[in-house]
Amino acid sequence: MFKLPPISLYIHIPWCLKKCGYCDFTSYVDKNTLPEKQYIKHLLKDFEKDLSLINNRKIGTIFIGGGTPSLLKYESIQDLIQGIKKRTFISNNIEISMEANPSTLESERFIYYKMSGINRFSLGIQTFQSSFLKKIERTYSSKEAHKAIKIIKKINSNINLDLMYGLPGQSIKDGLLDLNYAINYDPSHISWYQLTIEPNTRFYQKKPKLPDENIVLSILKKGKKLLKESGYKQYEISSYSKPNYQCKHNLNYWNFGDYIGIGCGAHGKITQKNGNIIRTIKNKNMNDFLSGKYIHSEHKISIKDRTFEYFMNLFRLYQPVIKNHFRERTNINEKYIQKKIEKAIKKGYLIETFNSWNTTDLGKNFLNSLLKIFLY
């Protein structure tokens, strides 16, 4: 039986101190005073317009990302969260996450962020080694990265450390050193993912020399073992957590839940009562956004795309894909995809039970090949 899924809220803060060479997110380099009050006012108006689409569902999680949200004054974050709460229902014990850059971390400001309602911080460390920070064009030093974690741990226990591996010139020893540094700080969550070169980035125009594939695979294999031995459970391809500290917001994405996306360039996915699912993309142009032109595009997801997007998310998780869940989240009968499922099973990517589909180790290792079956 079809029912509306849980819904989250993503808020995009598009300013950065510098645009990193690998970054393909909508962001602007901060050269002058940020129009914070004006932007917050328009974020809330953008939010109001999307509320008409969600059928009175409670917001389950909030994630403030970027860009660099920690460039904003705490008063701006406070006004934003209070404004959200005034306009809609939110769940009790809601997870409210905020991304932060080590070079913007000031203890007093972060204490006020927490008082405003932020209860989970995600620090974009990427690497603790200054030589690699320079290679990927980050704006802080190794010393600042270590200092930032020490500050935030005094303020909040629920923190995520973002780390990358497969950096230009990185050895196996270098990759594992970063993980060891992170584990020694005992964060509740570690996001550990491979550097990939995306179109529309400076690294795509001028590609840096990345490590050999065998080095990357060795870092991954040894790193996963190290994380497991250190008490971190892998619940998604790039996500490792202590018990009960999985990121609820990201879990909603990966379980094909709904989310409102507000702010410059933000994306949203919203299911309607009739079972249709719409995608929203907000205006990337800051001047247009601040003049009230929030929507860039809005379209209904086709049945074919709905199927692919569902599996693109669910196959990332280390859990069975429940057939009933597929029906509930897509409003599609699994008979529609039976031939594709059979093809994936024949190739050794999936195992089917009466109630579920499970990715094999081969399926996880060749995830793109598995997904291609559902794309075409």
Side-chain angles (χ1 to χ4, degrees), residues 103-204:
S103 60
T104 63
L105 214 156
E106 300 168 8
S107 57
E108 184 178 343
R109 184 159 38 142
F110 273 72
I111 289 169
Y112 283 110
Y113 285 154
K114 184 174 180 180
M115 289 171 63
S116 300
I118 307 295
N119 52 30
R120 183 178 184 274
F121 291 98
S122 181
L123 287 179
I125 300 295
Q126 314 312 348
T127 173
F128 288 93
Q129 300 167 73
S130 290
S131 60
F132 293 111
L133 285 168
K134 288 178 183 177
K135 287 180 181 180
I136 61 172
E137 303 180 359
R138 299 297 279 177
T139 59
Y140 47 86
S141 66
S142 173
K143 185 178 179 181
E144 286 176 305
H146 286 287
K147 182 182 177 183
I149 298 172
K150 291 173 184 175
I151 289 173
I152 204 73
K153 281 205 62 123
K154 291 178 182 177
I155 296 166
N156 203 67
S157 60
N158 191 1
I159 66 168
N160 169 62
L161 300 183
D162 254 4
L163 294 175
M164 283 184 180
Y165 65 92
L167 306 181
Q170 191 178 52
S171 67
I172 297 170
K173 182 180 176 181
D174 294 325
L176 296 179
L177 181 61
D178 279 334
L179 260 189
N180 274 302
Y181 277 134
I183 289 167
N184 285 339
Y185 282 114
D186 196 36
S188 53
H189 192 286
I190 294 175
S191 297
W192 189 53
Y193 48 93
Q194 183 182 349
L195 171 65
T196 54
I197 308 302
E198 302 290 350
N200 303 316
T201 64
R202 283 201 306 281
F203 281 4
Y204 188 79

Side-chain angles (χ1 to χ4, degrees), residues 198-217:
E198 302 290 350
N200 303 316
T201 64
R202 283 201 306 281
F203 281 4
Y204 188 79
Q205 317 257 321
K206 189 177 180 181
K207 294 182 180 178
K209 185 172 174 52
L210 300 179
D212 179 85
E213 187 179 79
N214 291 327
I215 292 176
V216 174
L217 287 173

Side-chain angles (χ1 to χ4, degrees), residues 10 63-70 97-101 121-123 162:
Y10 173 75
F63 195 100
I64 306 172
T68 308
S70 54
S97 302
M98 177 175 164
E99 291 182 337
N101 186 316
F121 291 98
S122 181
L123 287 179
D162 254 4

Side-chain angles (χ1 to χ4, degrees), residues 267-364:
H267 289 232
K269 168 193 168 284
I270 306 171
T271 306
Q272 304 298 283
K273 280 186 174 179
N274 61 6
N276 289 333
I277 302 175
I278 62 170
R279 287 275 181 202
T280 60
I281 303 175
K282 300 303 171 65
N283 206 321
K284 290 184 178 182
N285 184 288
M286 178 60 71
N287 290 330
D288 284 348
F289 189 84
L290 293 180
S291 67
K293 299 173 184 175
Y294 307 132
I295 285 283
H296 172 264
S297 65
E298 183 177 303
H299 70 276
K300 185 172 73 173
I301 307 176
S302 68
I303 290 178
K304 180 183 174 183
D305 288 345
R306 209 184 301 174
T307 300
F308 172 73
E309 289 184 22
Y310 176 87
F311 286 116
M312 182 175 66
N313 283 283
L314 267 292
F315 285 156
R316 292 182 65 91
L317 294 169
Y318 282 78
Q319 65 185 40
V321 178
I322 307 302
K323 293 178 182 179
N324 190 50
H325 184 271
F326 171 77
R327 291 191 293 269
E328 286 181 352
R329 294 293 163 94
T330 64
N331 199 26
I332 299 170
N333 190 292
E334 64 265 29
K335 290 180 181 178
Y336 176 78
I337 54 163
Q338 191 56 40
K339 288 184 178 179
K340 296 179 186 294
I341 293 291
E342 289 170 1
K343 184 176 180 181
I345 292 170
K346 189 175 181 181
K347 287 185 173 290
Y349 296 151
L350 290 182
I351 296 172
E352 184 173 26
T353 70
F354 181 75
N355 293 316
S356 68
W357 302 294
N358 297 268
T359 47
T360 61
D361 289 342
L362 186 68
K364 276 286 188 283

Side-chain angles (χ1 to χ4, degrees), residues 7-173:
I7 192 158
S8 296
L9 170 63
Y10 173 75
I11 304 169
H12 193 70
I13 309 298
W15 294 287
C16 282
L17 294 172
K18 181 185 177 182
K19 182 91 168 176
C20 298
Y22 59 84
C23 180
D24 67 338
F25 293 113
T26 300
S27 61
Y28 300 95
V29 175
D30 168 31
K31 293 181 180 178
N32 304 299
T33 303
L34 303 181
E36 292 186 38
K37 287 188 176 181
Q38 191 180 5
Y39 189 67
I40 298 299
K41 181 182 78 173
H42 283 282
L43 278 176
L44 293 172
K45 286 185 176 180
D46 185 14
F47 179 61
E48 286 173 0
K49 288 182 178 293
D50 277 0
L51 282 178
S52 62
L53 302 173
I54 72 170
N55 294 298
N56 297 316
R57 279 175 283 174
K58 281 187 178 181
I59 300 296
T61 64
I62 298 173
F63 195 100
I64 306 172
T68 308
S70 54
L71 286 173
L72 298 189
K73 298 181 181 71
Y74 73 83
E75 293 95 339
S76 297
I77 296 296
Q78 187 177 54
D79 290 346
L80 175 61
I81 293 174
Q82 286 180 351
I84 296 297
K85 289 180 177 178
K86 285 178 182 177
R87 288 165 172 79
T88 191
F89 301 106
I90 65 171
S91 298
N92 294 327
N93 303 316
I94 186 172
E95 176 191 89
I96 306 180
S97 302
M98 177 175 164
E99 291 182 337
N101 186 316
S103 60
T104 63
L105 214 156
E106 300 168 8
S107 57
E108 184 178 343
R109 184 159 38 142
F110 273 72
I111 289 169
Y112 283 110
Y113 285 154
K114 184 174 180 180
M115 289 171 63
S116 300
I118 307 295
N119 52 30
R120 183 178 184 274
F121 291 98
S122 181
L123 287 179
I125 300 295
Q126 314 312 348
T127 173
F128 288 93
Q129 300 167 73
S130 290
S131 60
F132 293 111
L133 285 168
K134 288 178 183 177
K135 287 180 181 180
I136 61 172
E137 303 180 359
R138 299 297 279 177
T139 59
Y140 47 86
S141 66
S142 173
K143 185 178 179 181
E144 286 176 305
H146 286 287
K147 182 182 177 183
I149 298 172
K150 291 173 184 175
I151 289 173
I152 204 73
K153 281 205 62 123
K154 291 178 182 177
I155 296 166
N156 203 67
S157 60
N158 191 1
I159 66 168
N160 169 62
L161 300 183
D162 254 4
L163 294 175
M164 283 184 180
Y165 65 92
L167 306 181
Q170 191 178 52
S171 67
I172 297 170
K173 182 180 176 181

